[in-house]
Amino acid sequence: MIPLLVAASGLPVRASEQSDIRNEALELRMNIARFEKDLQHSLRDAIQTAPDRVIQCKTHPATLKECLSGPYRSLTRATVTIKPSPAIGTDSPNRPLLDLGAAEERFALYNERVNKTNDLLSRAGLPLFVPERDLTPDMDELRKHILVYMENRQASSLRFEKITLFAGGLAVLCAIFGGLYLYLRRFRG
C-alpha cells in the first residue's frame, strides 16, 4: 500500500515537468519556424533585388532566380523535418529526449539553410542573411531541464524500489514471526 501511495504522489510532478519540457521544445520549434519564414522573406527580397544576376549555380552559371527555382529550390520551400515530432498524447519516459531531438534537428536544418542561403547571396554580391537571434542558450536550458527531469525520475524510481524492498522485507518478517507465533501457540496450547 505504501509503495502505491509514494508512486502516485510522484506521477503528477513528473507529468508536469514533462509537460513543461514539451512546451519549451514546441516553443523552440515555433521560433525556428519564424526564423525560417524570415529567411524565406530575405530570399524573396534578394530575388526581387537582383533576379538577373548571374552566379555559379552548382555546376553551371545561372541567374539567381533560376538557381533558386532549380538546384536550390529547397531553400524557398518550408522545411520538412526528418524525425517526426512525438505525438502530443504520448507520455513515455523518453519523451523529453524525443522532444529535444526534434528541436535540435529542426535547428540543425535551419542552420544548414542559412549557410546555403548566405553562400548564394555572397556569390550574387548581395547582403548576407544574418539571423538576429541564436537559440543555443535556449537549447542548453532545455537540456538542463531534461537532465533535472531524468535525475528526478531516477531518484523517484530508486525511492520506489527502496520502499518496495522495505515493504516486501517487512511482509516476509511479519509472515515468519506470525508463523513462529502460530507454531509456538500450537504446542503450548
Side-chain angles (χ1 to χ4, degrees), residues 1-9 159-168:
M1 183 71 164
I2 293 172
L4 293 176
L5 292 175
V6 170
S9 68
R159 188 172 36 244
F160 177 74
E161 288 175 12
K162 284 180 182 178
I163 290 173
T164 304
L165 184 62
F166 177 74

Side-chain angles (χ1 to χ4, degrees), residues 12-188:
V13 173
R14 277 191 262 159
S16 173
E17 287 178 29
Q18 199 171 13
S19 176
D20 291 344
I21 290 170
R22 182 180 311 137
N23 291 338
E24 282 181 50
L26 181 63
E27 188 176 318
L28 280 173
R29 289 195 309 268
M30 287 172 54
N31 283 339
I32 295 166
R34 285 187 208 107
F35 292 169
E36 287 177 344
K37 197 168 196 165
D38 291 344
L39 182 65
Q40 288 177 348
H41 286 303
S42 178
L43 277 171
R44 283 190 209 119
D45 291 346
I47 290 173
Q48 289 174 356
T49 303
D52 298 329
R53 191 161 297 181
V54 177
I55 60 171
Q56 186 64 28
C57 184
K58 294 277 184 181
T59 57
H60 62 285
T63 64
L64 182 61
K65 190 173 185 178
E66 290 170 349
C67 198
L68 286 171
S69 62
Y72 288 96
R73 67 182 162 272
S74 63
L75 291 178
T76 57
R77 295 184 183 152
T79 304
V80 177
T81 54
I82 299 166
K83 270 193 260 181
S85 174
I88 291 189
T90 336
D91 282 329
S92 72
N94 295 329
R95 171 63 195 251
L97 294 175
L98 296 174
D99 288 330
L100 176 65
E104 285 178 333
E105 181 199 12
R106 188 72 185 247
F107 190 54
L109 288 173
Y110 168 73
N111 283 332
E112 181 182 334
R113 287 171 55 111
V114 166
N115 292 337
K116 284 182 182 178
T117 301
N118 283 337
D119 180 48
L120 274 178
L121 294 177
S122 69
R123 282 191 258 158
L126 297 169
L128 299 180
F129 173 78
V130 180
E132 297 175 8
R133 294 166 287 206
D134 184 19
L135 290 180
T136 306
D138 296 330
M139 298 287 254
D140 291 341
E141 191 65 30
L142 180 60
R143 280 187 200 92
K144 287 177 190 174
H145 285 144
I146 290 174
L147 285 173
V148 167
Y149 168 77
M150 297 299 244
E151 287 173 359
N152 289 344
R153 194 179 85 213
Q154 286 177 343
S156 176
S157 176
L158 186 59
R159 188 172 36 244
F160 177 74
E161 288 175 12
K162 284 180 182 178
I163 290 173
T164 304
L165 184 62
F166 177 74
L170 190 61
V172 167
L173 285 174
C174 286
I176 290 172
F177 286 119
L180 281 173
Y181 175 75
L182 290 176
Y183 181 74
L184 291 175
R185 188 160 177 173
R186 183 175 171 196
F187 285 113
R188 283 192 171 175

